[in-house]
Amino acid sequence: MPRGANLPAIAAFNDTVVLDAIRRSGDGMSRVELVGATGLSAQTVSNVSRRLLGQGLIREAGKQIDGPGKPRTILQLEPRGSYAVGVHLDPTVITCVLLDLEGSVIEHVRRHSPVSGDPAETIAVAVDAIGDVLKRSGVDRSRVSGVGVAAPGPIDVGTGVVVRPPLVPGWNDLHLGDELTAATGLPSLLAKDVTAAAVGERWRDPAGASGNFAFVYYGTGVGVGMVLAGAVYTGASQNAGDVGHAVVDPGPDGALCACGRRGCYGESVRPYRLVMQGIRAGVLRAPGGAPVPDGVDLDLDVDTVDELFTALTRAADDGDAAAAAILDRSIRNSALYLSNLAALLDIDRVVYGGPSWARVERRYLEQLPERLREIDMSILTHPVTLASSSVGDDVAAVGAACLVLDATFSPR
Amino acid sequence: MPRGANLPAIAAFNDTVVLDAIRRSGDGMSRVELVGATGLSAQTVSNVSRRLLGQGLIREAGKQIDGPGKPRTILQLEPRGSYAVGVHLDPTVITCVLLDLEGSVIEHVRRHSPVSGDPAETIAVAVDAIGDVLKRSGVDRSRVSGVGVAAPGPIDVGTGVVVRPPLVPGWNDLHLGDELTAATGLPSLLAKDVTAAAVGERWRDPAGASGNFAFVYYGTGVGVGMVLAGAVYTGASQNAGDVGHAVVDPGPDGALCACGRRGCYGESVRPYRLVMQGIRAGVLRAPGGAPVPDGVDLDLDVDTVDELFTALTRAADDGDAAAAAILDRSIRNSALYLSNLAALLDIDRVVYGGPSWARVERRYLEQLPERLREIDMSILTHPVTLASSSVGDDVAAVGAACLVLDATFSPR
């Protein structure tokens, strides 16, 4: 119940209530149906509709004849009435999408992240990508309600700052929100990459909006976005989803983590670590080709890690036993983490995605369900199903754009 | 929006809407205020009020003079208009409370759980406890809307069955709901103990209703109830909160778990395991007094474990270094788990309670915050505060009764 709100605020709120009702209806609604659905008076619905029609956010779409009375005009969303940009900054790839008001992807571009990791360069690439989707789509900037940015956490949502991502030291205190707004003239909104991915998946997947699932985001590292009781869960500071230091492989062979422990989940599965294991096992050739002594970690740039990770997964797919053993161990470790996650949150669905996912997808889908069954300590009262993102590689960018549509057009 | 509901269903729904608005108001509301708060018509509010007054669920409490018009009658909740029983079945103690409509505890009794663990005996004690709170309070059974039961999971909420609690083998397939309803004539509702505890804590603690917190339930084992984004989170099958097999102490000295791994969180902190460590360290005397060879676990009944756990905590409090070392290690292990939980859920508050909590409370409150600070891997963007349950030992029973009030009187 809005208390003490002034009139323009109430009008804006009512606009979003009506727009939201029309959006959720799918096929559109008559003004009479809107009165029933929103609890607003007929006069208010009439005023709001006129305003939304004038703004080009809805359209009149034919008449509905229903009984002996006057035919009713159906009001539908005007998908091209407003747009949102979504940008996903990953250390290896920058994805940019343009969504219309219905949430359909109108245009998308993908750019290599600068290998230097330099923040100014990174923002320049993102700004260029935003310009490019707008130019290609022919959509006027005035029709774009904002830019949603997905980035590695931890983030400060209030100020739009990336605080200190553990695996991307160059992005410490990156003022993403301000910089993108200054460069594009568009309002911006920052979200953690795993949260944005969960938002994108929930938007597209009809089952997502009602259930509970974890979105395992596999990129430079691993993180988890959560949809709990039908809603995206973000936590006290919007930084939910850090899973890096849960211990899953504590033996003497477990990957040594920066925290000093062995077998942390994040370290046990991140591509850099698997690539280093591949080099030591002789499956991959280190840049320069020199042998790498035990306990020494090479300083590899993100592109090299990405190429070597591709080589490792290909070798395993081609039957190389040592490469397969490295990946299979990371799948076993993932299963152990996911069994604990599923027991804690009582979820029955895990969705995988993120920039590193496609290369291991087949192997995970083949092995992970079996590994989960082996681990199940009779705790779970139901099985856990596993799926790949129904949105695909753009999922975090799509989710970031969804957040803009939501912030602009959802009643609150 | 209720769709296609028949008239009696709508009337019942409107009753709960009005009752809920009066309940939340604290001091009561006039009929005019109820029209504004509920969106119902003046006529409907008048009809509903008459019905609720007739049922004795609300009362007229004086007039409010507000401007030149007619003084308005204030409607308040009649706390003694309805009651709910809450029962908490723990392997060592059975707690039973009677709550009034406002959620105040009118009466409570505590009984020893049968040492045999026999389900029929356990239910008989629970039924006797229910009869006792009703007799002592003088409340007529017809005024009691139901019995809420908190029990160890996993549970089947739909059928009211305790499925197969890992630490209470005697309670496998215990048809708690049916048995209690048959014995008391009252409708019953089953909840997992950790969930009920979170419900009880959220009800009493004003901060709980809006924030995120984890309720660590420390009893025969350890489990976690969650309040996320202000709501109690229960999961897909109402079994959220199993944390037993997260690895926290994997070294060769870590407690060996039934799952085959070392250092699972549940095993590392449960009183039985700490008591066995105390016996081996010579701090405690095993029943019979014979030495216990390494790797052999004694078959101790729940009462003996409970007494020995009390002795262990007292020895530590009295300065016994070996006893202190055992407890301090379990606190260190708890900190490791909680740091991962806080990073996953981005929570800034952890509340502790449950039957084993009071004996270790002082030591945890002294040490755990410091252990958490040591572990923090710069992941958390905010500190985690630690508190004891504001409800105390009855928290799970109170929560179970709250669920009955909620199921009966909350609009849905």
Short mmCIF file of all heavy atoms in Angstrom, two decimals, chain A residues 1 36-37 154 164 212 226 228 233 235-242 245-246 250 259 261 336 340 343-346 377-379 381-382, chain B residues 1 36-37 154 164 212 226 228 233 235-242 245-246 250 259 261 336 340 343-346 377-379 381:
data_model
loop_
_atom_site.label_atom_id
_atom_site.label_comp_id
_atom_site.label_asym_id
_atom_site.label_seq_id
_atom_site.Cartn_x
_atom_site.Cartn_y
_atom_site.Cartn_z
N MET A 1 0.87 -1.20 0.00
CA MET A 1 0.00 0.00 0.00
C MET A 1 0.90 1.24 0.00
O MET A 1 1.64 1.45 0.96
CB MET A 1 -0.84 -0.04 1.28
CG MET A 1 -2.11 0.73 1.20
SD MET A 1 -3.64 -0.25 0.96
CE MET A 1 -3.07 -1.91 0.69
N GLY A 36 -10.80 -5.17 -13.55
CA GLY A 36 -10.90 -6.36 -12.70
C GLY A 36 -9.54 -6.83 -12.20
O GLY A 36 -9.39 -7.21 -11.04
N ALA A 37 -8.54 -6.78 -13.08
CA ALA A 37 -7.23 -7.35 -12.74
C ALA A 37 -6.43 -6.44 -11.82
O ALA A 37 -5.62 -6.91 -11.01
CB ALA A 37 -6.44 -7.63 -14.01
N PRO A 154 32.58 -9.29 -5.86
CA PRO A 154 31.48 -8.54 -5.26
C PRO A 154 31.28 -7.16 -5.88
O PRO A 154 32.25 -6.54 -6.33
CB PRO A 154 31.92 -8.41 -3.79
CG PRO A 154 33.36 -8.71 -3.74
CD PRO A 154 33.70 -9.52 -4.94
N ARG A 164 35.92 -5.90 -5.75
CA ARG A 164 37.25 -6.52 -5.88
C ARG A 164 37.11 -7.98 -6.28
O ARG A 164 37.30 -8.87 -5.45
CB ARG A 164 38.07 -6.39 -4.58
CG ARG A 164 37.25 -6.62 -3.33
CD ARG A 164 38.03 -6.38 -2.05
NE ARG A 164 37.11 -6.06 -0.99
CZ ARG A 164 36.34 -6.92 -0.34
NH1 ARG A 164 36.41 -8.20 -0.61
NH2 ARG A 164 35.49 -6.52 0.59
N ASN A 212 12.23 -23.64 -7.83
CA ASN A 212 13.50 -23.37 -7.20
C ASN A 212 14.57 -23.96 -8.10
O ASN A 212 14.47 -25.12 -8.46
CB ASN A 212 13.60 -24.08 -5.85
CG ASN A 212 12.47 -23.70 -4.92
OD1 ASN A 212 12.44 -22.63 -4.36
ND2 ASN A 212 11.49 -24.60 -4.79
N MET A 226 20.60 -17.98 -7.80
CA MET A 226 19.54 -18.78 -7.20
C MET A 226 18.16 -18.22 -7.51
O MET A 226 17.93 -17.02 -7.36
CB MET A 226 19.72 -18.84 -5.68
CG MET A 226 20.87 -19.72 -5.25
SD MET A 226 21.38 -19.40 -3.52
CE MET A 226 22.51 -18.02 -3.78
N LEU A 228 14.67 -18.92 -5.90
CA LEU A 228 14.10 -19.60 -4.74
C LEU A 228 12.65 -19.19 -4.59
O LEU A 228 12.34 -17.99 -4.59
CB LEU A 228 14.89 -19.25 -3.48
CG LEU A 228 16.40 -19.54 -3.52
CD1 LEU A 228 17.07 -19.13 -2.21
CD2 LEU A 228 16.68 -21.01 -3.81
N TYR A 233 17.02 -14.72 -5.97
CA TYR A 233 17.49 -14.37 -4.63
C TYR A 233 18.84 -13.68 -4.74
O TYR A 233 19.77 -14.22 -5.35
CB TYR A 233 17.60 -15.62 -3.75
CG TYR A 233 18.18 -15.29 -2.40
CD1 TYR A 233 17.40 -14.63 -1.46
CD2 TYR A 233 19.50 -15.57 -2.10
CE1 TYR A 233 17.93 -14.28 -0.23
CE2 TYR A 233 20.04 -15.22 -0.87
CZ TYR A 233 19.25 -14.59 0.05
OH TYR A 233 19.77 -14.23 1.26
N GLY A 235 20.32 -11.65 -1.87
CA GLY A 235 21.04 -11.50 -0.61
C GLY A 235 21.06 -10.08 -0.07
O GLY A 235 20.57 -9.15 -0.72
N ALA A 236 21.66 -9.95 1.12
CA ALA A 236 21.62 -8.68 1.85
C ALA A 236 22.29 -7.55 1.07
O ALA A 236 21.84 -6.41 1.11
CB ALA A 236 22.29 -8.85 3.22
N SER A 237 23.36 -7.83 0.36
CA SER A 237 24.09 -6.77 -0.37
C SER A 237 24.14 -7.09 -1.86
O SER A 237 24.99 -6.58 -2.57
CB SER A 237 25.51 -6.63 0.19
OG SER A 237 26.31 -7.73 -0.22
N GLN A 238 23.21 -7.90 -2.34
CA GLN A 238 23.13 -8.28 -3.75
C GLN A 238 24.35 -9.07 -4.21
O GLN A 238 24.70 -9.03 -5.39
CB GLN A 238 22.99 -7.04 -4.66
CG GLN A 238 22.06 -5.97 -4.12
CD GLN A 238 20.62 -6.31 -4.37
OE1 GLN A 238 20.25 -6.63 -5.47
NE2 GLN A 238 19.82 -6.30 -3.33
N ASN A 239 25.01 -9.72 -3.28
CA ASN A 239 26.22 -10.45 -3.64
C ASN A 239 26.11 -11.95 -3.38
O ASN A 239 27.12 -12.64 -3.25
CB ASN A 239 27.42 -9.86 -2.90
CG ASN A 239 27.96 -8.63 -3.59
OD1 ASN A 239 28.32 -8.70 -4.77
ND2 ASN A 239 27.96 -7.50 -2.91
N ALA A 240 24.89 -12.46 -3.31
CA ALA A 240 24.72 -13.89 -3.08
C ALA A 240 25.38 -14.70 -4.20
O ALA A 240 25.55 -14.21 -5.31
CB ALA A 240 23.24 -14.23 -3.01
N GLY A 241 25.77 -15.92 -3.87
CA GLY A 241 26.24 -16.83 -4.91
C GLY A 241 27.71 -17.15 -4.91
O GLY A 241 28.20 -17.79 -5.83
N ASP A 242 28.45 -16.71 -3.87
CA ASP A 242 29.88 -17.07 -3.83
C ASP A 242 30.02 -18.47 -3.24
O ASP A 242 29.59 -18.72 -2.12
CB ASP A 242 30.65 -16.07 -2.98
CG ASP A 242 31.11 -14.89 -3.81
OD1 ASP A 242 30.98 -14.97 -5.05
OD2 ASP A 242 31.57 -13.89 -3.25
N HIS A 245 34.89 -21.23 -1.85
CA HIS A 245 35.72 -21.83 -0.82
C HIS A 245 35.06 -22.99 -0.07
O HIS A 245 35.50 -23.35 1.02
CB HIS A 245 36.22 -20.75 0.13
CG HIS A 245 37.11 -19.76 -0.55
ND1 HIS A 245 38.41 -20.04 -0.88
CD2 HIS A 245 36.86 -18.52 -1.05
CE1 HIS A 245 38.94 -19.01 -1.52
NE2 HIS A 245 38.02 -18.08 -1.64
N ALA A 246 34.02 -23.57 -0.66
CA ALA A 246 33.49 -24.81 -0.09
C ALA A 246 34.46 -25.92 -0.45
O ALA A 246 34.86 -26.07 -1.61
CB ALA A 246 32.11 -25.09 -0.68
N PRO A 250 39.69 -32.39 -0.61
CA PRO A 250 40.70 -31.98 0.36
C PRO A 250 41.97 -32.82 0.40
O PRO A 250 42.90 -32.49 1.13
CB PRO A 250 39.94 -32.10 1.69
CG PRO A 250 38.91 -33.17 1.45
CD PRO A 250 38.55 -33.09 0.00
N CYS A 259 43.44 -19.48 -0.50
CA CYS A 259 43.07 -19.36 0.92
C CYS A 259 43.91 -20.28 1.79
O CYS A 259 43.78 -20.25 3.01
CB CYS A 259 41.59 -19.66 1.12
SG CYS A 259 41.16 -21.41 1.02
N ARG A 261 43.83 -23.60 1.76
CA ARG A 261 43.27 -24.95 1.87
C ARG A 261 43.37 -25.67 0.54
O ARG A 261 43.55 -25.06 -0.51
CB ARG A 261 41.80 -24.87 2.31
CG ARG A 261 41.65 -24.44 3.76
CD ARG A 261 40.21 -24.62 4.23
NE ARG A 261 39.32 -23.70 3.55
CZ ARG A 261 38.96 -22.51 4.02
NH1 ARG A 261 39.41 -22.10 5.17
NH2 ARG A 261 38.15 -21.73 3.34
N LEU A 336 29.94 -33.17 -5.76
CA LEU A 336 29.99 -33.10 -4.30
C LEU A 336 29.44 -31.75 -3.83
O LEU A 336 28.63 -31.68 -2.90
CB LEU A 336 31.42 -33.32 -3.80
CG LEU A 336 31.61 -33.36 -2.29
CD1 LEU A 336 30.66 -34.36 -1.65
CD2 LEU A 336 33.05 -33.72 -1.95
N ASN A 340 25.63 -30.94 -1.73
CA ASN A 340 25.47 -30.14 -0.52
C ASN A 340 24.55 -28.94 -0.74
O ASN A 340 23.74 -28.59 0.11
CB ASN A 340 26.84 -29.67 -0.01
CG ASN A 340 27.57 -30.78 0.72
OD1 ASN A 340 26.94 -31.57 1.43
ND2 ASN A 340 28.87 -30.86 0.54
N ALA A 343 21.00 -30.16 -0.86
CA ALA A 343 20.51 -30.53 0.47
C ALA A 343 20.19 -29.28 1.29
O ALA A 343 19.19 -29.23 2.01
CB ALA A 343 21.55 -31.38 1.20
N LEU A 344 21.02 -28.26 1.17
CA LEU A 344 20.77 -27.02 1.91
C LEU A 344 19.50 -26.33 1.42
O LEU A 344 18.64 -25.97 2.21
CB LEU A 344 21.96 -26.07 1.74
CG LEU A 344 21.76 -24.66 2.34
CD1 LEU A 344 21.75 -24.71 3.86
CD2 LEU A 344 22.80 -23.68 1.83
N LEU A 345 19.40 -26.16 0.09
CA LEU A 345 18.30 -25.36 -0.46
C LEU A 345 17.10 -26.21 -0.86
O LEU A 345 16.07 -25.66 -1.25
CB LEU A 345 18.80 -24.56 -1.67
CG LEU A 345 19.89 -23.53 -1.36
CD1 LEU A 345 20.33 -22.83 -2.64
CD2 LEU A 345 19.41 -22.50 -0.34
N ASP A 346 17.23 -27.53 -0.77
CA ASP A 346 16.13 -28.42 -1.17
C ASP A 346 15.64 -28.05 -2.57
O ASP A 346 14.46 -27.77 -2.78
CB ASP A 346 14.99 -28.33 -0.14
CG ASP A 346 13.90 -29.35 -0.38
OD1 ASP A 346 14.14 -30.33 -1.09
OD2 ASP A 346 12.78 -29.14 0.15
N MET A 377 23.44 -39.04 0.07
CA MET A 377 23.57 -39.73 1.35
C MET A 377 22.20 -40.02 1.95
O MET A 377 22.02 -39.91 3.16
CB MET A 377 24.35 -38.85 2.31
CG MET A 377 25.85 -38.91 2.13
SD MET A 377 26.47 -40.56 2.53
CE MET A 377 25.90 -40.70 4.22
N SER A 378 21.22 -40.32 1.11
CA SER A 378 19.85 -40.53 1.58
C SER A 378 19.31 -39.29 2.27
O SER A 378 18.44 -39.37 3.13
CB SER A 378 19.76 -41.70 2.55
OG SER A 378 20.28 -42.84 1.96
N ILE A 379 19.86 -38.15 1.91
CA ILE A 379 19.37 -36.90 2.50
C ILE A 379 18.26 -36.34 1.63
O ILE A 379 17.24 -35.88 2.11
CB ILE A 379 20.50 -35.85 2.56
CG1 ILE A 379 21.54 -36.31 3.56
CG2 ILE A 379 19.95 -34.50 2.93
CD1 ILE A 379 22.79 -35.50 3.50
N THR A 381 15.15 -36.01 -0.65
CA THR A 381 13.92 -36.77 -0.79
C THR A 381 13.45 -36.81 -2.24
O THR A 381 12.43 -37.39 -2.54
CB THR A 381 12.81 -36.16 0.08
OG1 THR A 381 12.75 -34.75 -0.18
CG2 THR A 381 13.09 -36.39 1.55
N HIS A 382 14.21 -36.20 -3.12
CA HIS A 382 13.84 -36.19 -4.54
C HIS A 382 15.10 -36.04 -5.38
O HIS A 382 16.10 -35.48 -4.91
CB HIS A 382 12.88 -35.04 -4.84
CG HIS A 382 13.37 -33.73 -4.26
ND1 HIS A 382 14.40 -33.01 -4.81
CD2 HIS A 382 13.00 -33.04 -3.17
CE1 HIS A 382 14.63 -31.94 -4.09
NE2 HIS A 382 13.79 -31.94 -3.08
N MET B 1 -4.88 -12.78 -7.10
CA MET B 1 -6.27 -12.57 -7.53
C MET B 1 -6.97 -13.93 -7.51
O MET B 1 -6.59 -14.81 -8.26
CB MET B 1 -6.25 -12.04 -8.97
CG MET B 1 -7.47 -11.24 -9.30
SD MET B 1 -7.24 -9.43 -9.32
CE MET B 1 -5.62 -9.14 -8.64
N GLY B 36 -9.86 1.07 3.81
CA GLY B 36 -8.67 1.60 3.15
C GLY B 36 -7.55 0.57 3.06
O GLY B 36 -6.86 0.46 2.05
N ALA B 37 -7.36 -0.21 4.12
CA ALA B 37 -6.22 -1.13 4.18
C ALA B 37 -6.44 -2.39 3.36
O ALA B 37 -5.49 -2.98 2.84
CB ALA B 37 -5.93 -1.50 5.63
N PRO B 154 14.43 -35.83 7.00
CA PRO B 154 13.45 -35.32 6.04
C PRO B 154 12.02 -35.72 6.41
O PRO B 154 11.80 -36.79 6.97
CB PRO B 154 13.86 -35.97 4.72
CG PRO B 154 14.78 -37.07 5.05
CD PRO B 154 15.30 -36.85 6.41
N ARG B 164 12.97 -40.38 7.17
CA ARG B 164 14.05 -41.22 7.71
C ARG B 164 15.17 -40.34 8.27
O ARG B 164 16.22 -40.17 7.66
CB ARG B 164 14.61 -42.18 6.65
CG ARG B 164 14.77 -41.54 5.29
CD ARG B 164 15.21 -42.50 4.20
NE ARG B 164 14.78 -41.97 2.92
CZ ARG B 164 15.35 -40.98 2.25
NH1 ARG B 164 16.43 -40.41 2.71
NH2 ARG B 164 14.86 -40.55 1.08
N ASN B 212 17.52 -11.07 6.15
CA ASN B 212 17.99 -12.40 5.81
C ASN B 212 18.75 -12.92 7.02
O ASN B 212 19.62 -12.23 7.53
CB ASN B 212 18.97 -12.34 4.64
CG ASN B 212 18.38 -11.65 3.43
OD1 ASN B 212 17.58 -12.21 2.72
ND2 ASN B 212 18.77 -10.40 3.21
N MET B 226 16.29 -21.02 7.30
CA MET B 226 16.66 -19.80 6.59
C MET B 226 15.50 -18.83 6.49
O MET B 226 14.40 -19.22 6.12
CB MET B 226 17.13 -20.15 5.18
CG MET B 226 18.50 -20.80 5.15
SD MET B 226 18.86 -21.62 3.56
CE MET B 226 18.10 -23.22 3.84
N LEU B 228 14.95 -15.72 4.20
CA LEU B 228 15.58 -15.06 3.06
C LEU B 228 14.61 -14.02 2.51
O LEU B 228 13.44 -14.31 2.27
CB LEU B 228 15.92 -16.08 1.97
CG LEU B 228 16.81 -17.25 2.41
CD1 LEU B 228 17.06 -18.21 1.24
CD2 LEU B 228 18.14 -16.73 2.95
N TYR B 233 12.32 -19.71 4.21
CA TYR B 233 12.54 -20.49 2.99
C TYR B 233 12.52 -21.97 3.32
O TYR B 233 13.23 -22.43 4.21
CB TYR B 233 13.88 -20.11 2.36
CG TYR B 233 14.18 -20.97 1.16
CD1 TYR B 233 13.49 -20.75 -0.04
CD2 TYR B 233 15.08 -22.02 1.21
CE1 TYR B 233 13.70 -21.55 -1.14
CE2 TYR B 233 15.30 -22.83 0.12
CZ TYR B 233 14.61 -22.59 -1.05
OH TYR B 233 14.81 -23.40 -2.13
N GLY B 235 12.09 -24.63 0.62
CA GLY B 235 12.57 -25.51 -0.45
C GLY B 235 11.47 -26.28 -1.15
O GLY B 235 10.30 -26.21 -0.78
N ALA B 236 11.89 -27.03 -2.17
CA ALA B 236 10.96 -27.71 -3.06
C ALA B 236 10.08 -28.72 -2.33
O ALA B 236 8.90 -28.87 -2.63
CB ALA B 236 11.72 -28.40 -4.19
N SER B 237 10.64 -29.43 -1.35
CA SER B 237 9.86 -30.44 -0.63
C SER B 237 9.80 -30.13 0.86
O SER B 237 9.58 -31.02 1.67
CB SER B 237 10.48 -31.83 -0.86
OG SER B 237 11.69 -31.95 -0.13
N GLN B 238 9.98 -28.87 1.22
CA GLN B 238 9.93 -28.41 2.62
C GLN B 238 11.03 -29.03 3.46
O GLN B 238 10.90 -29.15 4.67
CB GLN B 238 8.57 -28.75 3.27
CG GLN B 238 7.38 -28.52 2.38
CD GLN B 238 7.01 -27.06 2.30
OE1 GLN B 238 6.88 -26.40 3.30
NE2 GLN B 238 6.87 -26.54 1.09
N ASN B 239 12.12 -29.43 2.81
CA ASN B 239 13.19 -30.08 3.54
C ASN B 239 14.51 -29.31 3.49
O ASN B 239 15.58 -29.87 3.71
CB ASN B 239 13.39 -31.51 3.04
CG ASN B 239 12.38 -32.46 3.66
OD1 ASN B 239 12.30 -32.57 4.87
ND2 ASN B 239 11.56 -33.10 2.83
N ALA B 240 14.44 -28.01 3.20
CA ALA B 240 15.66 -27.21 3.14
C ALA B 240 16.37 -27.24 4.48
O ALA B 240 15.75 -27.45 5.52
CB ALA B 240 15.32 -25.78 2.75
N GLY B 241 17.68 -27.06 4.43
CA GLY B 241 18.43 -26.87 5.67
C GLY B 241 19.36 -28.01 6.07
O GLY B 241 19.91 -27.98 7.17
N ASP B 242 19.55 -29.01 5.19
CA ASP B 242 20.50 -30.07 5.53
C ASP B 242 21.91 -29.62 5.21
O ASP B 242 22.22 -29.29 4.06
CB ASP B 242 20.17 -31.34 4.75
CG ASP B 242 19.15 -32.18 5.49
OD1 ASP B 242 18.86 -31.85 6.65
OD2 ASP B 242 18.63 -33.14 4.90
N HIS B 245 26.76 -32.71 5.41
CA HIS B 245 27.89 -33.29 4.69
C HIS B 245 28.79 -32.28 3.98
O HIS B 245 29.53 -32.64 3.07
CB HIS B 245 27.38 -34.37 3.73
CG HIS B 245 26.75 -35.52 4.47
ND1 HIS B 245 27.50 -36.47 5.11
CD2 HIS B 245 25.45 -35.83 4.71
CE1 HIS B 245 26.69 -37.35 5.71
NE2 HIS B 245 25.44 -36.97 5.48
N ALA B 246 28.69 -31.02 4.38
CA ALA B 246 29.66 -30.04 3.89
C ALA B 246 30.97 -30.30 4.63
O ALA B 246 30.99 -30.43 5.84
CB ALA B 246 29.16 -28.63 4.16
N PRO B 250 38.84 -31.73 6.94
CA PRO B 250 39.16 -32.94 6.17
C PRO B 250 40.46 -33.64 6.55
O PRO B 250 40.75 -34.70 6.00
CB PRO B 250 39.24 -32.39 4.74
CG PRO B 250 39.65 -30.97 4.89
CD PRO B 250 39.08 -30.49 6.19
N CYS B 259 29.32 -41.16 5.85
CA CYS B 259 29.37 -41.09 4.38
C CYS B 259 30.74 -41.51 3.87
O CYS B 259 30.95 -41.59 2.66
CB CYS B 259 29.02 -39.69 3.90
SG CYS B 259 30.34 -38.47 4.12
N ARG B 261 33.59 -39.85 4.36
CA ARG B 261 34.55 -38.74 4.32
C ARG B 261 34.89 -38.30 5.73
O ARG B 261 34.21 -38.61 6.70
CB ARG B 261 33.95 -37.57 3.54
CG ARG B 261 33.84 -37.84 2.05
CD ARG B 261 33.50 -36.58 1.29
NE ARG B 261 32.17 -36.12 1.59
CZ ARG B 261 31.08 -36.44 0.91
NH1 ARG B 261 31.17 -37.25 -0.13
NH2 ARG B 261 29.90 -35.96 1.24
N LEU B 336 34.03 -22.19 9.68
CA LEU B 336 34.33 -22.46 8.28
C LEU B 336 33.03 -22.71 7.50
O LEU B 336 32.83 -22.17 6.41
CB LEU B 336 35.26 -23.68 8.17
CG LEU B 336 35.74 -24.02 6.77
CD1 LEU B 336 36.34 -22.81 6.07
CD2 LEU B 336 36.78 -25.14 6.82
N ASN B 340 31.15 -20.07 4.48
CA ASN B 340 30.67 -20.49 3.16
C ASN B 340 29.18 -20.24 3.00
O ASN B 340 28.72 -19.83 1.93
CB ASN B 340 31.00 -21.97 2.92
CG ASN B 340 32.45 -22.17 2.55
OD1 ASN B 340 33.02 -21.36 1.83
ND2 ASN B 340 33.07 -23.22 3.06
N ALA B 343 28.67 -16.55 2.44
CA ALA B 343 29.09 -16.14 1.11
C ALA B 343 28.06 -16.58 0.07
O ALA B 343 27.74 -15.85 -0.88
CB ALA B 343 30.45 -16.74 0.78
N LEU B 344 27.49 -17.77 0.23
CA LEU B 344 26.48 -18.25 -0.71
C LEU B 344 25.22 -17.41 -0.63
O LEU B 344 24.70 -16.96 -1.66
CB LEU B 344 26.14 -19.72 -0.41
CG LEU B 344 24.98 -20.28 -1.22
CD1 LEU B 344 25.37 -20.48 -2.68
CD2 LEU B 344 24.44 -21.58 -0.63
N LEU B 345 24.72 -17.21 0.58
CA LEU B 345 23.41 -16.56 0.75
C LEU B 345 23.52 -15.06 0.98
O LEU B 345 22.51 -14.36 1.02
CB LEU B 345 22.65 -17.21 1.91
CG LEU B 345 22.31 -18.69 1.73
CD1 LEU B 345 21.60 -19.22 2.97
CD2 LEU B 345 21.43 -18.90 0.49
N ASP B 346 24.76 -14.56 1.10
CA ASP B 346 24.94 -13.13 1.35
C ASP B 346 24.08 -12.68 2.53
O ASP B 346 23.27 -11.76 2.40
CB ASP B 346 24.61 -12.33 0.08
CG ASP B 346 24.96 -10.85 0.19
OD1 ASP B 346 25.76 -10.51 1.09
OD2 ASP B 346 24.44 -10.06 -0.60
N MET B 377 37.68 -14.56 3.40
CA MET B 377 38.65 -14.50 2.30
C MET B 377 38.41 -13.27 1.43
O MET B 377 38.50 -13.32 0.21
CB MET B 377 38.48 -15.75 1.44
CG MET B 377 39.17 -16.97 2.00
SD MET B 377 40.96 -16.75 1.97
CE MET B 377 41.21 -16.45 0.22
N SER B 378 38.06 -12.15 2.06
CA SER B 378 37.72 -10.93 1.31
C SER B 378 36.57 -11.18 0.34
O SER B 378 36.45 -10.50 -0.67
CB SER B 378 38.93 -10.41 0.53
OG SER B 378 39.98 -10.17 1.40
N ILE B 379 35.76 -12.18 0.66
CA ILE B 379 34.60 -12.44 -0.19
C ILE B 379 33.41 -11.64 0.30
O ILE B 379 32.67 -11.06 -0.46
CB ILE B 379 34.24 -13.94 -0.12
CG1 ILE B 379 35.33 -14.75 -0.79
CG2 ILE B 379 32.90 -14.20 -0.80
CD1 ILE B 379 35.17 -16.22 -0.53
N THR B 381 31.24 -8.78 1.71
CA THR B 381 31.34 -7.33 1.64
C THR B 381 30.84 -6.69 2.92
O THR B 381 30.80 -5.48 3.04
CB THR B 381 30.54 -6.79 0.45
OG1 THR B 381 29.23 -7.36 0.49
CG2 THR B 381 31.21 -7.15 -0.85
#
